[in-house]
Amino acid sequence: AKTLFNSWISIPHVTHFEQVDVTSLEKHRKILNEVSKNKISLLAYIVKAASIILLKKPVINSSLVGEGKLMLKKYVNIGIAVSTDQGLVVPVIKNVEELNLGQISEKITEFANKARRKTLLEKDLKGATFTISSLGGIGGIGFTPIVNPPEVGILGVSRLNKVLELDNDQIVEKIMVPLAFSYDHRVINGVDAGEFMQEIKILMEDYHND
């Protein structure tokens, strides 16, 4: 609570919202889960997409470590916010850039179980370069996550929703996921944030082509 309060009063937050069409991705995920031993979650796709773009945009994968001093990282450690009956904890998946979708899903499940059993170790909670907070099935249509310093960005994931859209004069049903990227405006400007979100959107919408 103290960390979040200090973050809110000391960091100039801006939040960039985006809707991502995951219709094809969800079909791809369903096919994978029919043959995969370990079920792959949508969150795993988002974590992997974020890791790819973070390596391309190191300013978003950085830490503000002093007055005007920015530490750029060549690795991606993503904290995953997990709700427990004792409050929110954020275990960290290390070196996400080296993991595949199945391994990321395993880590998410492992850390969620450990968090709820209160068996996380101190090392499991340290070293994040970026955080993702997913509200899953209770996520509503959007929210504004708070940056976890010394990180400079956090991605919020809300509930999947179905929409009807016109496509070549035909009404089609699409599955959309709302994303919200909050960032420290001392480090990241609006163009950086917009490009980051657009690249995640493109990557997720084209996942089925990989």
Side-chain angles (χ1 to χ4, degrees):
K2 183 178 179 181
T3 299
L4 289 175
F5 175 73
N6 289 337
S7 172
W8 186 249
I9 64 172
S10 64
I11 294 175
H13 281 70
V14 179
T15 303
H16 183 110
F17 297 94
E18 188 59 80
Q19 289 267 3
V20 177
D21 180 356
V22 293
T23 310
S24 295
L25 186 151
E26 281 294 277
K27 292 177 182 177
H28 180 255
R29 188 168 73 90
K30 184 177 180 180
I31 292 170
L32 278 184
N33 283 341
E34 287 175 352
V35 298
S36 175
K37 178 181 176 182
N38 299 304
K39 301 304 180 186
I40 298 171
S41 65
L42 174 63
L43 181 57
Y45 281 84
I46 296 171
V47 169
K48 186 61 180 177
S51 74
I52 293 169
I53 307 306
L54 287 168
L55 284 178
K56 293 173 62 178
K57 295 190 172 296
V59 68
I60 297 174
N61 192 49
S62 66
S63 295
L64 198 57
V65 294
E67 190 64 35
K69 294 182 180 179
L70 201 62
M71 182 182 293
L72 303 178
K73 312 293 177 59
K74 294 183 178 180
Y75 55 88
V76 179
N77 295 345
I78 294 185
I80 303 295
V82 178
S83 178
T84 73
D85 56 7
Q86 297 293 311
L88 195 69
V89 294
V90 188
V92 180
I93 304 175
K94 306 292 199 319
N95 299 115
V96 177
E97 73 280 5
E98 298 176 1
L99 304 178
N100 61 36
L101 288 170
Q103 292 168 326
I104 294 170
S105 256
E106 285 182 32
K107 281 292 184 182
I108 292 171
T109 301
E110 174 191 340
F111 280 143
N113 290 336
K114 282 185 175 181
R116 289 167 186 137
R117 292 197 301 262
K118 303 179 182 65
T119 58
L120 286 169
L121 302 176
E122 186 176 357
K123 66 178 183 179
D124 296 329
L125 303 170
K126 290 186 174 181
T129 62
F130 190 80
T131 295
I132 295 179
S133 179
S134 174
L135 294 183
I138 61 169
I141 59 173
F143 66 105
T144 54
I146 299 175
V147 174
N148 184 26
E151 299 161 43
V152 296
I154 180 171
L155 186 66
V157 184
S158 294
R159 184 178 59 228
L160 288 176
N161 60 88
K162 294 182 178 180
V163 300
L164 297 178
E165 290 189 358
L166 277 177
D167 190 351
N168 294 324
D169 295 326
Q170 298 292 319
I171 296 177
V172 295
E173 183 180 80
K174 295 185 177 182
I175 303 172
M176 311 294 288
V177 60
L179 300 180
F181 173 47
S182 291
Y183 56 93
D184 186 336
H185 206 7
R186 295 173 299 177
V187 177
I188 299 169
N189 61 39
V191 172
D192 292 326
E195 290 176 350
F196 173 70
M197 290 294 271
Q198 280 303 306
E199 291 196 39
I200 285 185
K201 177 181 173 71
I202 291 168
L203 191 57
M204 291 182 63
E205 291 183 346
D206 288 344
Y207 247 126
H208 64 290
N209 292 326
D210 291 348

